[in-house]
Amino acid sequence: MNDTRALFERVLTDEPPLSLDLGPVVFRGRRVRRRRRLVAVAGTVAVLALGSLLAIPLADGMRETPPTSGRAQIPDDLTPLQRTIAEALVDASPETFHYDLSRKRWDDESLVTTVDDGRGRTRFAVRFWPIYRSACLAASTGVCTGTLFPVLPEDGSQISSYELAPGAYSELMTNGAENGPAVQVESTTYLSKTRIVREQPPLTGGRLSYVAIKVGEAYRYFLARQGAQPPEARTGGEAQRRGGTP
Amino acid sequence: MRDDDGFAALFAARAASVRRTAYLLCGSWPQAEDLTQTAFARLYAVWPRVRDRGVADAYLRRIVIRAHIDEGRRPWRRERPAADVPDRPMTAASSEDRVVLLAALGRVPAKQRACLVLRYFADCSIEETAAALGCTTGTVKSNTSRGLDSLRAALGDVRPDLVTIEDLA
């Protein structure tokens, strides 16, 4: 080790005198300090600006969450199960949605009614299917010429869009596991103001899937609390015949 | 003001030593002075937060080494002198040895050379060297060993009589 050090010392012979002054060093140091402060301030401003940009749409989204006052539209003469479903439905929907939840719209736990989403009245249905979600979907939609879109890949939920008549479209969403009751939420726009592009999920698809999930949770929770079994499977055709149109 | 006094004292005490370390890394006195100025300027920028003299030394070493390695990575930012002009007379015997040794040192890769300089000139421990280079102690050991091999080989090529292989570390 000493030899290596001696070698280095030999390299350092003829060392010129130090011409470095403290003044330029301090001047450069202050410049570095100023630059770092500037970068820190600019970074903070950028983070705040980005945060506010993100906060605006988030706040808008939060405003869309349903208020509890929506429960006022739930009539008193519903059965406990119907009331549970109705509350879940209202809670999961935007505050601009107004449902007709009167007693005559119900058949056991099935609901065939109308909803006013703020742009006009639409047919709306909620049905529960014990098994075989996809079969129910095909039976219910009848001439389902539209495309099936996966909504949430992890739970197998799907949404279909099909054209009932020129200018009239329907969206139908299902979710749930094959071993338990599936929930089907259907929304039909009789006079669509916005043409649904076949290759894309319907505009309200995300909202329908959310409604279906929340209603399904409430339904299963209710049955579990009552110790009841889910109702027998019905075909989509039967449900449509029984439910009718609004 | 008291902070500036402390910095001035540190500069007076350590500038020459830092420049020597920088010279062994880069092989040029003007560039060594630039590296020294860069190191002290960056230390000054954080000086209000530095309370420990040992930390300041380690910080200086780290800046010098990283600034030197950065220079090597960005050769287009480096000054290119037209020729080596000796600005003062040199003693014949010492200059010949120095030039040969410097040339041999110049053939050692930058990171290995940094390990050699820190370990054998700046008397840093393996841990201090690792901290200055931002690597593990294992890397320091292997780079030191390889650096010594490179230095032996380089000296063996140009002046085998100057340093025997067994003499080195």
Side-chain angles (χ1 to χ4, degrees):
Chain A
M1 181 183 286
N2 288 335
D3 289 324
T4 311
R5 186 179 177 89
L7 186 143
F8 285 143
E9 295 290 358
R10 283 165 75 177
V11 171
L12 289 168
T13 55
D14 301 329
E15 178 183 357
L18 187 69
S19 61
L20 207 56
D21 289 330
L22 184 62
V25 169
V26 170
F27 176 76
R28 233 178 115 178
R30 284 193 180 133
R31 209 172 54 187
V32 171
R33 216 185 268 178
R34 267 200 306 273
R35 198 168 55 215
R36 284 182 184 170
R37 266 195 220 126
L38 195 68
V39 168
V41 169
T44 308
V45 169
V47 167
L48 287 175
L50 191 65
S52 58
L53 279 176
L54 289 172
I56 291 168
L58 279 176
D60 286 347
M62 287 169 73
R63 275 197 290 275
E64 281 182 12
T65 54
T68 49
S69 61
R71 288 171 183 246
Q73 57 186 297
I74 301 171
D76 294 331
D77 56 349
L78 299 184
T79 66
L81 176 56
Q82 289 166 352
R83 171 165 283 278
T84 301
I85 294 166
E87 285 174 357
L89 183 63
V90 171
D91 284 350
S93 303
E95 60 183 348
T96 54
F97 278 38
H98 186 82
Y99 295 94
D100 178 1
L101 296 171
S102 55
R103 182 69 188 86
K104 64 181 180 185
R105 296 291 184 184
W106 294 85
D107 181 8
D108 292 338
E109 76 280 1
S110 293
L111 172 69
V112 179
T113 184
T114 58
V115 58
D116 189 342
D117 64 357
R119 294 178 303 170
R121 237 165 44 122
T122 307
R123 179 175 180 265
F124 188 88
V126 177
R127 300 188 190 94
F128 297 89
W129 309 96
I131 50 172
Y132 302 130
R133 180 184 64 245
S134 55
C136 295
L137 183 66
S140 174
T141 54
V143 282
C144 183
T145 54
T147 315
L148 283 173
F149 305 101
V151 178
L152 297 171
E154 62 271 21
D155 73 353
S157 57
Q158 290 179 313
I159 190 160
S160 68
S161 166
Y162 56 99
E163 194 164 7
L164 297 171
Y169 300 92
S170 179
E171 301 158 11
L172 188 144
M173 191 273 163
T174 63
N175 82 324
E178 289 191 357
N179 295 329
V183 184
Q184 177 181 301
V185 175
E186 184 178 9
S187 168
T188 303
T189 307
Y190 285 106
L191 291 170
S192 177
K193 292 172 184 168
T194 310
R195 187 175 179 83
I196 297 167
V197 181
R198 285 282 176 206
E199 288 73 27
Q200 297 294 324
L203 295 177
T204 55
R207 180 58 67 180
L208 275 183
S209 68
Y210 181 67
V211 168
I213 289 165
K214 289 298 170 191
V215 170
E217 283 173 3
Y219 179 73
R220 291 191 193 102
Y221 180 70
F222 182 88
L223 291 184
R225 211 173 46 184
Q226 300 292 316
Q229 294 296 316
E232 292 299 315
R234 302 185 195 104
T235 63
E238 284 172 358
Q240 277 190 330
R241 277 196 300 278
R242 294 194 308 134
T245 54
Chain B
M1 183 55 80
R2 207 179 68 186
D3 271 355
D4 277 2
D5 290 345
F7 184 79
L10 179 77
F11 180 80
R14 303 285 298 133
S17 164
V18 171
R19 189 181 67 149
R20 269 185 230 122
T21 304
Y23 177 72
L24 289 174
L25 292 170
C26 67
S28 153
W29 286 114
Q31 199 184 340
E33 219 152 83
D34 278 353
L35 289 172
T36 307
Q37 192 187 51
T38 300
F40 275 99
R42 288 194 198 166
L43 178 65
Y44 184 83
V46 296
W47 185 247
R49 298 199 300 270
V50 175
R51 289 286 170 265
D52 186 359
R53 176 75 173 269
V55 172
D57 280 347
Y59 190 70
L60 283 171
R61 277 197 296 270
R62 199 161 62 224
I63 298 171
V64 165
I65 287 166
R66 290 192 181 165
H68 169 60
I69 291 173
D70 282 352
E71 281 284 309
R73 285 175 183 154
R74 293 192 288 261
W76 60 89
R77 289 177 61 180
R78 203 183 305 149
E79 284 183 20
R80 293 174 187 279
D84 270 337
V85 183
D87 53 357
R88 63 203 178 86
M90 292 186 292
T91 55
S94 66
S95 66
E96 189 192 351
D97 283 1
R98 192 179 65 84
V99 169
V100 168
L101 288 170
L102 202 55
L105 202 56
R107 290 169 65 179
V108 178
K111 286 190 178 173
Q112 294 175 10
R113 193 183 344 173
C115 282
L116 293 182
V117 170
L118 288 180
R119 294 279 290 116
Y120 300 126
F121 179 73
D123 290 330
C124 292
S125 66
I126 291 177
E127 288 75 20
E128 286 169 338
T129 308
L133 290 169
C135 63
T136 63
T137 53
T139 307
V140 170
K141 286 176 192 169
S142 61
N143 272 343
T144 305
S145 173
R146 285 192 202 124
L148 284 172
D149 287 344
S150 304
L151 189 58
R152 284 185 196 116
L155 283 173
D157 284 350
V158 289
R159 285 286 298 275
D161 59 306
L162 200 60
V163 177
T164 60
I165 293 174
E166 289 75 22
D167 284 343
L168 281 177

